[in-house]
Amino acid sequence: MPEPATGTFDVVFRARRLIGPNGETSGTVGVRDGRIAAVEALDARLDAPRTIELAEDEVLLPGLVDTHVHVNDPGRAEWEGFETATRAAAAGGITTLLDMPLNSLPPTIDTQSLEVKRKTARDKVHIDVGFWGGAVHGNLAELRGLHESGVFGFKCFLLHSGVDEFPPLNATELDEALRELAGYDALMIVHAEDSDAIEHAPTAHGETYRDFLASRPRGAENFAIAQVIELARRIGARVHILHLSSSDALPMIASARADGVRVTVETCPHYLSFAAEEIPDGATQFKCCPPIREARNRELLWQGLADGIIDCVVSDHSPCTPELKRFDIGDFGVAWGGVASLQLGLSAVWTQARVRGFELADVVNWMSRRPAEFAGLRRKGSIAVGQDADLCVFAPDDAFVVDAAKLHHRNAVSAYHGRPLAGVVRATWLRGRPIVGPDAESAAPQGELITRTEAS
C-alpha cells in the first residue's frame, strides 16, 4: 500500500471522473513543481492554495499527445505557424506535439535546419513541442547528427512528398537508412505508399472524389507497408507506419508483430470519421494522402483499434491557405492534400467512438498514452505520480457544431466545418499551469521545446 501524500501542493484537482492508467476512476490529484506528486482517493485531504473542483459533467484527462503535426514554420508560416498551431492544439486538449520535418523551409534534414526550426519556434509555443528529423535522398550522413541533437526519430517518404525539397527514398536508400538507424536504435516513421503503384494508377483529376480515390489505390499502401515490414524484419530496425488508411494491411501488421517485428502504426481522425461515399464533388477540404476510403474500410479501422493492431490516433494536421485547396475549380488533382484538424481531434474521435461502444478511457489510450509511449515521451500521457502535470478538463456529453472561422488554426479551412461533434474541452493545464479555460492567467506562450534525450 503506497504511503499517503504529505506536504503542500501547488494545486489540487478533485474529479468524480478521472481517466487514470487503469481506466476510469475518481480521485484527487496533487501537483507540485509542474509534476503530478500525488494521486489519491476523491476524499483525500491534500493541502494547496488552489483547488480545482471539476463539475459533475467533467472528466479529468491526461493532456493529449499528437505526434503527427505539420506546423510548416519557417518558410510556409502563412499555412500555419507555431503560435497558431500550438494555441489550437491547447484548445483541443493537446499538451505535447511533435512537428514533422517537411513543409517548412528549410526542411529538418540536418542539424543546421533543426536549429533554424528551434530558433523559429522558441518563445512562440503554447504547449511542449519536439521535432522529427527527415530521412531523404542524399542525407544519410546527416542522420546521426540529428539523432544526437535530440530529434524523436526520422520521417521518410517512398514516393514524392508533395514538396520537391523533401525527396523520397528509393528501395536501396530505405535499406541503407534503416541499417544506419538500427545502429543506434532510432525510429523510422514512414509514409507508406509505393511510387510505382501510384505511377501506374489513373491520374488524379476533376471534381469527382471517386476518381481521386482511384489515383491512390489501397494496393499502393499495402505493398509499401509489406516492404517496410520485411526490411524491419531483416535488419531489426524500429519502424512506425504513418496515417494508416487501408484496412487491408491490418492482418500483415498483426502477423509481423507476432513474429517479433518492431512495428507500430497510427491512424487519424479523418479516416475514422468520414467515408468516401459521402464526400461531395469538388469538396477538396477532404483531400489527403493516403485518401479517406469507403465506409466498410472505416469500420475495419475501428476494429483494428479494438483489436490493438492500430496503436494510436494522431491528427496528421496538414493545413494550407484556402487558395491551395482550389475551391474555385474543385479539382482534386491540383488541390493541396491535407486535413486540418488539430483543435478537433479529441471531439471527432470521441463522437465516433461512443456510438461504437468504446469508452472515454479507450480514446485517451489511443490519443495520449500510446503516442507518448511509441515516441519515447516518458513523462507524458498519463495521470500518475512523476508525470508532467499536463491535464485536460473534458465535458464528454456537451456538444458543438464546428465553425471553421472560430478555430485557432491560421486558415479557416476544415473538413469538419458544419459537423456536430460531441465533447468539449473546457480547460487545459500544462505542467501545472492553466493555459486554456477560465483559470488561464496569461495568453503568453508557456510551452517548452523538448528533445528525445530530455523526454526519456
Side-chain angles (χ1 to χ4, degrees):
M1 178 80 69
E3 291 293 322
T6 59
T8 300
F9 299 89
D10 300 324
V11 61
V12 165
F13 294 83
R14 295 191 185 279
R16 294 169 186 81
R17 297 179 65 190
L18 176 155
I19 305 299
N22 299 313
E24 185 169 324
T25 183
S26 62
T28 301
V29 178
V31 174
R32 185 185 296 127
D33 298 329
R35 299 276 189 94
I36 296 172
V39 181
E40 303 286 340
L42 183 60
D43 59 358
R45 297 185 63 181
L46 302 184
D47 294 327
R50 172 189 252 176
T51 297
I52 306 299
E53 296 268 2
L54 270 68
E56 292 276 359
D57 66 336
E58 295 174 342
V59 187
L60 189 65
L61 315 181
L64 302 190
V65 176
D66 193 338
T67 54
H68 193 153
V69 180
H70 295 269
V71 179
N72 310 326
D73 196 6
R76 293 189 174 100
E78 70 275 14
W79 296 15
E80 192 67 273
F82 283 104
E83 202 283 331
T84 51
T86 57
R87 188 183 292 277
I94 298 165
T95 50
T96 306
L97 70 78
L98 298 187
D99 174 58
M100 283 292 164
L102 73 157
N103 298 345
S104 57
L105 293 169
T108 316
I109 56 175
D110 53 37
T111 55
Q112 293 82 9
S113 58
L114 175 62
E115 185 50 39
V116 170
K117 181 74 71 83
R118 285 178 172 159
K119 185 177 180 181
T120 301
R122 197 167 289 125
D123 302 323
K124 293 181 181 176
V125 296
H126 293 271
I127 64 171
D128 288 354
V129 173
F131 302 99
W132 297 106
V136 300
H137 171 74
N139 85 326
L140 186 66
E142 305 290 344
L143 302 184
R144 181 178 284 273
L146 279 165
H147 175 74
E148 292 175 351
S149 295
V151 298
F152 283 81
F154 296 86
K155 180 175 186 176
C156 72
F157 278 75
L158 306 184
L159 78 172
H160 194 277
S161 68
V163 289
D164 292 338
E165 67 272 7
F166 200 90
L169 300 179
N170 62 33
T172 299
E173 291 168 331
L174 178 61
D175 185 297
E176 292 171 344
L178 286 175
R179 290 182 188 280
E180 167 71 16
L181 299 185
Y184 32 93
D185 202 33
L187 176 66
M188 179 73 92
I189 62 175
V190 185
H191 181 123
E193 288 181 286
D194 181 70
S195 58
D196 286 341
I198 298 293
E199 214 171 285
H200 289 88
T203 303
H205 66 282
E207 298 181 352
T208 305
Y209 185 79
R210 182 180 61 252
D211 293 337
F212 168 65
L213 187 60
S215 75
R216 312 293 290 215
R218 65 182 66 213
E221 199 175 351
N222 302 336
F223 184 64
I225 291 171
Q227 288 179 305
V228 171
I229 286 172
E230 288 313 303
L231 280 174
R233 186 195 307 274
R234 187 184 315 157
I235 295 167
R238 286 198 298 142
V239 296
H240 177 78
I241 304 301
L242 296 166
H243 44 47
L244 181 69
S245 157
S246 172
S247 61
D248 296 350
L250 292 170
M252 77 171 100
I253 293 166
S255 176
R257 282 212 190 122
D259 290 345
V261 179
R262 295 192 295 167
V263 56
T264 50
V265 61
E266 68 186 42
T267 193
C268 305
H270 41 280
Y271 300 128
L272 298 170
S273 298
F274 304 121
E277 299 93 331
E278 300 166 358
I279 295 176
D281 289 352
T284 54
Q285 64 269 33
F286 292 93
K287 179 183 177 179
C288 56
C289 299
I292 296 162
R293 302 193 188 277
E294 301 84 358
R296 173 171 168 72
N297 181 87
R298 177 187 62 194
E299 298 313 309
L300 291 171
L301 291 177
W302 277 106
Q303 188 61 48
L305 282 166
D307 294 340
I309 303 171
I310 299 174
D311 297 275
C312 55
V313 182
V314 293
S315 69
D316 189 11
H317 178 67
S318 186
C320 66
T321 59
E323 294 76 20
L324 289 174
K325 278 296 187 182
R326 296 309 307 268
F327 294 124
D328 55 335
I329 56 174
D331 191 328
F332 283 97
V334 298
W336 176 259
V339 173
S341 63
L342 190 58
Q343 189 173 334
L344 300 170
L346 175 57
S347 298
V349 174
W350 172 235
T351 298
Q352 298 295 322
R354 68 190 303 186
V355 299
R356 291 171 173 83
F358 293 102
E359 304 292 335
L360 188 55
D362 297 315
V363 175
V364 170
N365 197 32
W366 303 326
M367 301 188 77
S368 188
R369 183 179 72 84
R370 286 185 176 175
E373 286 178 349
F374 106 81
L377 291 155
R378 309 282 184 230
R379 297 199 305 271
K380 307 290 188 181
S382 68
I383 298 177
V385 173
Q387 296 287 94
D388 287 349
D390 298 346
L391 302 166
C392 169
V393 177
F394 186 62
D397 297 322
D398 206 347
F400 66 104
V401 175
V402 177
D403 181 347
K406 294 181 178 178
L407 300 176
H408 291 290
H409 304 163
R410 177 149 291 176
N411 294 289
V413 176
S414 175
Y416 294 90
H417 179 69
R419 194 175 181 92
L421 296 180
V424 172
V425 173
R426 291 187 179 163
T428 305
W429 292 65
L430 178 69
R431 283 177 278 103
R433 290 194 241 174
I435 58 172
V436 170
D439 295 298
E441 298 164 348
S442 170
Q446 303 288 322
E448 296 180 357
L449 302 184
I450 58 176
T451 67
R452 185 193 72 261
T453 50
E454 293 168 341
S456 60

